[in-house]
């Protein structure tokens, strides 16, 4: 069932609009993740330099993390539904799909790791940092891939 569906479930015009909405939503999520990473880096620097903790950044980081993970998974799910409505073929854009899937998996793992962080230092904290970097890198790759899908 590859290519364009013979009788799409919704109009081509609406599909085109929804693709742009999907891209805009996920770009917003990416930008929020970079803001989230900035707060995480402020916290990390304060810990490693033994300087006063940025409590506002800590509060935001703890509150935003789960919300951003849900937004990321929601954006991915919306993309799946959109491709199914458009083509009926989930593998129409395999690179975008698999990078998105990797992002969602890393979001889930990062959330689980964050729940195990205790104390000022430790392997969970470093793993959380590294997973965050991987998520940011993959999001940048997926933005480029997504732009390719839109063109």
């Amino acid at each position: 069932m590859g290519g364009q569906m013979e009788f799409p479930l919704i109009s081509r015009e609406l599909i085109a609009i929804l693709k742009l909405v999907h891209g805009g939503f996920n770009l917003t999520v990416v930008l929020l993740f970079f803001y989230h990473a900035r707060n995480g880096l402020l916290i990390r620097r304060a810990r490693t330099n033994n300087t006063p903790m940025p409590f506002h950044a800590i509060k935001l980081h703890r509150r935003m993390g789960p919300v951003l993970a849900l937004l990321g998974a929601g954006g991915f799910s919306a993309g799946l539904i959109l491709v199914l409505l458009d083509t009926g073929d989930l593998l129409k854009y395999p690179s975008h799909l698999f990078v998105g899937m990797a992002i969602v998996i890393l979001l889930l793992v990062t959330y689980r790791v964050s729940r195990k962080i205790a104390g000022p230092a430790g392997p969970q904290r470093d793993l959380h940092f590294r997973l965050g970097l991987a998520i940011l890198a993959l999001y940048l790759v997926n933005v480029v891939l997504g732009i390719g899908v839109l063109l």
Side-chain angles (χ1 to χ4, degrees):
M1 223 180 145
Q4 297 292 100
M5 292 178 69
E6 189 174 336
F7 303 103
L9 298 175
I10 57 178
S11 73
R12 298 257 74 34
E13 294 82 17
L14 184 55
I15 291 280
I17 291 168
L18 290 175
K19 283 181 178 180
L20 291 174
V21 169
H22 171 72
F25 173 81
N26 282 310
L27 183 59
T28 302
V29 171
V30 170
L31 294 174
L32 286 171
F33 263 109
F34 274 92
Y35 174 70
H36 187 66
R38 180 187 163 275
N39 284 330
L41 202 52
L42 287 173
I43 298 164
R44 185 175 182 85
R45 283 188 183 144
R47 283 192 195 286
T48 57
N49 295 336
N50 268 344
T51 58
M53 294 302 291
F55 289 109
H56 182 68
I58 293 170
K59 187 177 175 181
L60 278 175
H61 197 73
R62 287 182 180 167
R63 285 189 179 166
M64 282 180 66
V67 172
L68 287 175
L70 286 173
L71 290 175
F76 175 76
S77 299
L80 289 178
I81 292 168
L82 189 55
V83 170
L84 281 175
L85 290 173
D86 184 24
T87 68
D89 180 11
L90 279 180
L91 297 176
K92 174 76 175 175
Y93 310 105
S95 300
H96 193 57
L97 170 69
F98 291 119
V99 173
M101 214 180 302
I103 290 169
V104 171
I105 290 167
L106 287 176
L107 289 173
L108 292 171
V109 171
T110 305
Y111 175 76
R112 294 283 309 256
V113 167
S114 74
R115 292 291 167 240
K116 296 177 183 175
I117 293 174
Q124 300 298 332
R125 205 172 286 284
D126 286 337
L127 179 58
H128 181 79
F129 175 70
R130 293 175 197 282
L131 288 168
L133 291 177
I135 290 167
L136 293 175
L138 286 176
Y139 258 125
L140 289 177
V141 169
N142 227 20
V143 165
V144 171
L145 293 171
I147 291 169
V149 168
L150 289 174
L151 297 179

